[in-house]
Amino acid sequence: MNSYSTEDAIFALATAWAKSAIAVVRVSGNDCIRTLSKAIRSKKDICSLQSNYALYCHLVSPSDGKLIDDIVLTLYRDGHGYTGEEAFEISCHGGLQVVKAVLGAMADLGFRQALPGEFTLRAFLHGKMDLTRAEAVDELVNAQGRTGQLMALNRLNGALYKRISQIKSTIVDIMSTVEVQLDYAEDEVGEDLTFPMAKLQKAISDLSQIHDSYNTGRLYSQGAKIVLAGPSNAGKSSLFNYFLKEERSIVSAQKGTTRDFIEAMCTIDGIPVRLYDTAGFRDASDNEIELEGIRRSKGLVDSADIIIYMVDASDMGDPDSQMTADPRCIKVLNKCDLCDRDDDGFVKLSVATGYGFDVLCSNIAQRLKGNNANYDDASLVIENDRQRENLGRAMDALVAAKLAVEADMPLDLVSMDIQEALEALGEMTGEVTTDDILDRIFGSFCVGK
């Protein structure tokens, strides 16, 4: 690999660089505990302690012996810690000056600052996890909602690796049948070795199911962009606040209150959503700031996953026909508590009373999920581009093998396609990999992971 070296001991702050009650500094590498002993003051010799041992002690400066902090030191011998190497973690007080001093002491002891993802890379290299689990670590850290977190946790616990291993086992069985027929004449085999087409079709179907879960995974992990749009004073800011359960956007009877868009995160049916309250669309304004806000709002609408187009039930005017015809648009008729009317295709709503809000949320969730499979805790879902590409390669190779068999083509060509599928799945789990792939995967991690 171009960027990573496993020859030296590495250190990094494993918690956020921010004031907190405690902070954790992680160190991993050969002989790191003996090296640390130079900066530890304790009645116990840390070099003689066993793995998974936590010790309250004092950390001092390696250069002058002055006290840095009272710490809890957790030790891991070879094979027991996160990375599979000898390692330790320092839990210190979370003041930034304390953290800075602890990190300085690690550098003074000769440890190297870890690169992004280097701890997880070492865990992979030492057989503590496969690549799908390693990628799930980063996906778990970046999960924006509870459902996305559960999906990532499922992969971290090995669900994806186990499923791919099962499919690979089926493909290996198919390959064995092909190889036997290639290596021996029909009269030497002594049994009927018809090509196991049913197994091949099952493998293609199983891979397709995982591959097609990508859109669901991305939806729950990356979230969706929803824009509240419509005429001035239709109640967009009130709805924005209702979604958030707090007063974030200014609400006023005066038109043109929202001059620029406001954004915030919320969750709808487990889906993380970035919600935008935009400037009301009207042509009568001569205020340059408001006009600029309207221009920006229209730009947001262009990139939205869902557009909630709101109108006032008591003053509908002429709805924007271009926007209401957009397939991304959910039309909402607000203030139905003041003026009860029915209009086809509009969700009836009263932000003031909450009437119709559950229906609107259900409509949004259904629209976002589309044809995606409903998620439950047992579902196996991917969200990773690399994994989707490898699954696609494996599927294409198996489909090519199926077509070759149906066309009665030579078995050595079928064997090449099946081997391509196995290599793609091996690359997915990390059994077959290159330095460039590892650099690309782990380079996207945060430092300390």
Side-chain angles (χ1 to χ4, degrees):
M1 283 164 286
N2 297 327
S3 307
Y4 298 95
S5 168
T6 57
E7 298 301 319
D8 42 12
I10 55 174
F11 77 94
L13 178 66
T15 47
W17 179 255
K19 184 173 69 174
S20 59
I22 62 170
V24 176
V25 175
R26 172 180 282 174
V27 179
S28 179
N30 184 46
D31 211 27
C32 63
I33 294 175
R34 183 192 61 78
T35 302
L36 175 69
S37 66
K38 304 170 187 175
I40 293 296
R41 297 294 177 265
S42 171
K43 293 180 180 179
K44 295 185 177 181
D45 176 14
I46 66 171
C47 294
S48 64
L49 298 177
Q50 298 302 308
S51 185
N52 302 342
Y53 193 98
L55 174 70
Y56 177 78
C57 55
H58 304 297
L59 178 69
V60 300
S61 169
S63 57
D64 57 21
K66 291 183 178 179
L67 179 65
I68 293 176
D69 194 19
D70 298 335
I71 65 169
V72 173
L73 176 65
T74 307
L75 305 176
Y76 303 97
R77 296 295 176 180
D78 279 355
H80 290 85
Y82 178 73
T83 61
E85 300 177 320
E86 180 177 303
F88 63 82
E89 290 179 355
I90 293 173
S91 299
C92 61
H93 291 93
L96 294 182
Q97 290 304 314
V98 175
V99 174
K100 186 177 179 180
V102 173
L103 293 175
M106 297 304 102
D108 290 344
L109 286 168
F111 302 136
R112 172 175 64 79
Q113 173 69 50
L115 296 168
E118 192 164 5
F119 290 96
T120 306
L121 170 64
R122 292 190 178 197
F124 165 71
L125 294 176
H126 287 94
K128 299 288 285 186
M129 59 179 69
D130 71 292
L131 277 189
T132 64
R133 286 186 178 97
E135 288 169 317
V137 171
D138 191 46
E139 291 158 0
L140 186 59
V141 169
N142 291 304
Q144 296 188 38
R146 173 61 175 163
T147 306
Q149 176 213 344
L150 289 173
M151 290 176 172
L153 194 58
N154 197 24
R155 294 187 294 271
L156 181 60
N157 287 333
L160 180 57
Y161 176 76
K162 291 172 186 174
R163 191 73 189 97
I164 294 301
S165 296
Q166 291 169 355
I167 297 171
K168 281 180 62 181
S169 178
T170 300
I171 298 173
V172 168
D173 287 346
I174 298 169
M175 188 68 160
S176 299
T177 303
V178 173
E179 293 293 345
V180 166
Q181 294 182 66
L182 284 173
D183 291 343
Y184 299 96
E186 187 176 337
D187 56 350
E188 293 180 282
V189 175
E191 60 178 310
D192 182 15
L193 283 180
T194 8
F195 187 85
M197 186 62 79
K199 284 187 177 182
L200 180 60
Q201 188 58 54
K202 179 68 164 55
I204 294 171
S205 176
D206 289 344
L207 290 175
S208 177
Q209 185 178 18
I210 303 173
H211 180 272
D212 292 347
S213 72
Y214 173 82
N215 289 334
T216 299
R218 295 291 284 187
L219 174 64
Y220 282 103
S221 65
Q222 303 298 317
K225 182 177 180 179
I226 297 180
V227 174
L228 307 181
S232 296
N233 216 25
K236 298 186 298 297
S237 296
S238 296
L239 180 58
F240 183 84
N241 292 338
Y242 199 91
F243 270 113
L244 302 181
K245 309 302 183 204
E246 62 175 294
E247 297 295 323
R248 279 287 307 277
S249 191
I250 297 173
V251 176
S252 171
Q254 179 182 342
K255 293 187 175 183
T257 303
T258 305
R259 300 295 181 88
D260 198 354
F261 65 81
I262 302 172
E263 62 180 288
M265 290 297 299
C266 66
T267 302
I268 299 176
D269 198 19
I271 302 169
V273 165
R274 185 165 292 279
L275 189 67
Y276 292 84
D277 179 22
T278 64
F281 297 166
R282 61 181 184 138
D283 299 324
S285 176
D286 57 0
N287 186 294
E288 290 185 6
I289 297 176
E290 185 182 353
L291 289 172
E292 175 61 19
I294 293 172
R295 186 191 67 79
R296 294 184 182 186
S297 297
K298 289 182 177 178
L300 282 173
V301 167
D302 291 340
S303 60
D305 295 299
I306 295 286
I307 305 163
I308 298 178
Y309 183 78
M310 291 188 69
V311 295
D312 185 339
S314 62
D315 182 20
M316 286 187 63
D318 294 320
D320 186 323
S321 58
Q322 182 178 352
M323 192 171 296
T324 55
D326 193 307
R328 300 170 297 159
C329 183
I330 297 175
K331 298 178 290 185
V332 175
L333 194 62
N334 189 30
K335 305 183 184 179
C336 286
D337 57 320
L338 303 177
C339 178
D340 188 13
R341 62 185 296 172
D342 289 313
D343 283 89
D344 290 341
F346 279 81
V347 176
K348 295 177 67 175
L349 178 71
S350 170
V351 179
T353 66
Y355 169 78
F357 183 72
D358 288 344
V359 175
L360 175 60
C361 288
S362 177
N363 202 324
I364 292 170
Q366 186 177 11
R367 187 75 65 88
L368 286 174
K369 292 177 183 177
N371 296 323
N372 296 332
N374 290 329
Y375 171 77
D376 59 53
D377 289 352
S379 296
L380 178 57
V381 176
I382 64 167
E383 62 176 80
N384 184 292
D385 288 327
R386 188 191 72 88
Q387 292 170 7
R388 182 180 64 161
E389 290 169 5
N390 283 322
L391 287 166
R393 277 178 53 206
M395 286 167 53
D396 290 344
L398 292 183
V399 168
K402 178 175 179 289
L403 294 175
V405 172
E406 291 173 342
D408 202 24
M409 296 180 69
L411 282 179
D412 54 348
L413 296 180
V414 176
S415 174
M416 291 173 61
D417 289 327
I418 296 174
Q419 185 60 44
E420 168 65 18
L422 288 172
E423 288 179 2
L425 296 180
E427 187 176 301
M428 180 176 172
T429 57
E431 294 157 277
V432 179
T433 191
T434 65
D435 290 348
D436 287 342
I437 290 175
L438 295 180
D439 282 340
R440 179 159 56 95
I441 292 172
F442 294 102
S444 65
F445 281 45
C446 58
V447 174
K449 258 302 178 190

